[in-house]
């Protein structure tokens, strides 16, 4: 059934074209647990050599996991089939292919050797200065511009979902919650109970919390929280003393115009950029291209 839903999203031939037989794959070390199962390193044999990739497997025979898997597969395939995806330059994680028939089903992605941005910020083995960390944020504005052109909302923009490559390029990943803004209604009244606990409340725009309304503009709100994570070295976002506010508590806080505090070492102009991402009116938030320019200017000031 879900496979049919997936096929429906993809033009004829796409589902076939991206299938990769497991015989071309040698699994390697475990990287970690993703949203729908195990992620391991793998070696993929190509016509002209081989390549290290990340294999995301659906380990749980669980409806939610399958759903995320098919959603991520569909969205990434669409992104790669549309014009304008350049694997060498894109700040969206590259898809190599998938297998929807094998057991377990798997998805093959570009391997990002430095792992996710949240861990990198928290470990800070390399101790990046803020001006350097802003490169990561600028990279992600490029990914958001691309998604906006395709009218896709990611819905889970956060440091944990940004991967860093060997060359220190930030790539947006984890498209398990992503949706096509065209084909889905702006309102998603169903699935409220089923999906609410999986929603990243503290990264969500006020209209997402209130009405489950998601858009490229609500991704921009989340991007503001990502900026805050970058400046604070990967601190868990906190509004006052409540670590885990409920949806209702968070709405009340945000409606009182309370926002995440200005971090201690944050340049005030950078905090002003974050706050502009947290405007109540989605259309009043900066567009990704404008945001990118502003961040480049902040970066120049720090140098
Ligand atoms: N590529 C996709 N997911 C990855 C992960 N979790 N770690 C490294 N590279 C990846």
């Amino acid at each position: 059934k879900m496979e049919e839903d997936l096929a429906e999203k993809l033009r004829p031939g796409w589902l076939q074209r991206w299938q990769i037989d497991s015989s071309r794959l040698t699994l390697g070390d475990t990287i970690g647990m993703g949203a729908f199962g195990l992620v391991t390193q793998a070696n993929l044999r190509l016509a002209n050599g081989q390549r290290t990739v990340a294999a995301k497997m659906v380990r749980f025979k669980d409806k939610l996991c399958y759903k995320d898997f098919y959603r991520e597969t569909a969205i990434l395939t669409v992104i790669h089939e549309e014009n304008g995806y350049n694997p060498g330059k894109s700040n969206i994680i590259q898809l190599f292919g998938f297998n929807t028939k094998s057991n377990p089903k798997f998805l093959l992605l570009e391997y990002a050797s430095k792992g996710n941005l949240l861990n990198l910020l928290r470990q800070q083995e390399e101790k990046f200065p803020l001006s350097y960390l802003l490169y990561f944020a600028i990279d992600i504005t490029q990914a958001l511009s691309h998604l906006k052109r395709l009218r896709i909302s990611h819905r889970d923009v956060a440091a944990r979902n940004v991967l860093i490559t060997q060359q220190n390029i930030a790539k947006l990943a984890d498209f398990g919650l992503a949706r096509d803004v065209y084909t889905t209604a702006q309102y998603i009244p169903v699935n409220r109970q089923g999906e609410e606990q999986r929603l990243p409340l503290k990264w969500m725009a006020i209209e997402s919390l209130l009405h489950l309304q998601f858009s490229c503009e609500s991704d921009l709100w989340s991007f503001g929280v990502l900026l805050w994570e970058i400046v604070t070295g990967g601190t868990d976002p906190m509004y006052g003393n409540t670590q885990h506010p409920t949806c209702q508590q968070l709405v009340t806080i945000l409606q009182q115009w309370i926002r995440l505090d200005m971090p201690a070492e944050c340049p005030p102009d950078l905090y002003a950029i974050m706050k502009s991402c947290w405007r109540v009116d989605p259309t009043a938030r900066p567009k990704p291209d404008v945001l990118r320019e502003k961040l480049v200017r902040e970066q120049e000031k720090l140098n």
Side-chain angles (χ1 to χ4, degrees):
K1 169 84 180 71
M2 280 190 238
E3 173 120 23
E4 284 165 27
D5 290 350
L6 172 69
E8 210 169 89
K9 269 202 170 34
L10 305 179
R11 302 219 181 103
W14 287 4
L15 190 59
Q16 231 23 60
R17 178 134 54 104
W18 287 86
Q19 298 281 344
I20 289 188
D21 200 86
S22 0
S23 63
R24 290 171 56 197
L25 210 61
T26 310
L27 296 184
D29 294 341
T30 296
I31 297 171
M33 282 299 286
F36 49 73
L38 195 68
V39 186
T40 75
Q41 245 189 35
N43 209 303
L44 174 64
R45 281 175 287 285
L46 301 162
N48 51 351
Q50 53 176 21
R51 174 137 191 184
T52 300
V53 297
K56 279 181 88 164
M57 287 173 281
V58 193
R59 207 173 60 163
F60 309 111
K61 292 204 163 44
D62 169 313
K63 221 171 151 186
L64 273 183
C65 294
Y66 278 139
K67 231 172 164 170
D68 276 3
F69 170 78
Y70 281 117
R71 216 180 268 140
E72 179 157 30
T73 301
I75 293 278
L76 282 174
T77 305
V78 168
I79 292 170
H80 283 65
E81 289 282 355
E82 292 287 347
N83 289 332
Y85 186 85
N86 178 338
K89 291 207 179 126
S90 181
N91 296 104
I92 294 172
I93 201 86
Q94 186 183 352
L95 172 72
F96 286 93
F98 47 75
N99 195 323
T100 55
K101 318 251 191 252
S102 60
N103 186 13
K105 302 174 192 298
F106 62 81
L107 193 61
L108 301 181
L109 302 172
E110 169 183 4
Y111 175 65
S113 66
K114 304 217 172 159
N116 77 56
L117 177 59
L118 184 61
N119 283 338
L120 200 74
L121 290 168
R122 289 184 173 174
Q123 296 163 1
Q124 288 259 1
E125 273 159 26
E126 294 196 37
K127 220 22 179 169
F128 294 109
L130 181 57
S131 64
Y132 197 93
L133 290 173
L134 286 181
Y135 278 121
F136 298 146
I138 291 165
D139 285 343
I140 298 307
T141 63
Q142 306 272 43
L144 294 178
S145 296
H146 194 143
L147 293 181
K148 191 173 162 64
R149 284 198 298 280
L150 299 182
R151 292 175 173 263
I152 289 170
S153 65
H154 182 282
R155 299 174 182 225
D156 201 4
V157 174
R160 61 183 171 274
N161 292 333
V162 170
L163 294 172
I164 310 296
T165 67
Q166 183 63 30
Q167 292 78 31
N168 289 330
I169 308 293
K171 308 246 173 172
L172 189 58
D174 273 292
F175 283 75
L177 296 182
R179 303 283 205 300
D180 197 324
V181 181
Y182 261 141
T183 54
T184 26
Q186 289 279 342
Y187 288 92
I188 299 118
V190 285
N191 288 340
R192 223 182 199 284
Q193 301 97 336
E195 294 197 24
E196 186 155 40
Q197 75 256 37
R198 296 174 53 251
L199 293 175
L201 295 179
K202 290 188 288 183
W203 281 259
M204 279 162 68
I206 188 158
E207 70 276 12
S208 312
L209 293 166
L210 278 168
H211 312 296
L212 289 176
Q213 200 165 30
F214 295 90
S215 60
C216 298
E217 289 74 29
S218 64
D219 281 347
L220 214 106
W221 176 299
S222 311
F223 178 85
V225 181
L226 165 61
L227 268 182
W228 191 91
E229 293 182 277
I230 286 178
V231 175
T232 58
T235 303
D236 196 30
M238 283 269 274
Y239 291 89
N241 296 324
T242 27
Q243 182 100 41
H244 300 293
T246 62
C247 182
Q248 188 49 55
Q249 284 170 329
L250 208 46
V251 166
T252 305
I253 291 167
L254 295 172
Q255 280 177 336
Q256 293 169 327
W257 303 98
I258 296 168
R259 296 292 183 269
L260 292 170
D261 285 332
M262 183 164 101
E265 312 88 72
C266 186
D269 288 343
L270 185 57
Y271 185 59
I273 294 173
M274 291 177 203
K275 294 240 286 202
S276 70
C277 297
W278 303 327
R279 289 182 182 144
V280 172
D281 176 3
T283 63
R285 297 171 202 154
K287 306 283 171 273
D289 293 339
V290 175
L291 197 55
R292 176 178 185 278
E293 285 167 29
K294 289 187 176 182
L295 290 171
V296 168
R297 243 173 283 146
E298 277 315 299
Q299 197 178 36
E300 285 164 358
K301 279 196 249 166
L302 288 166
N303 288 328

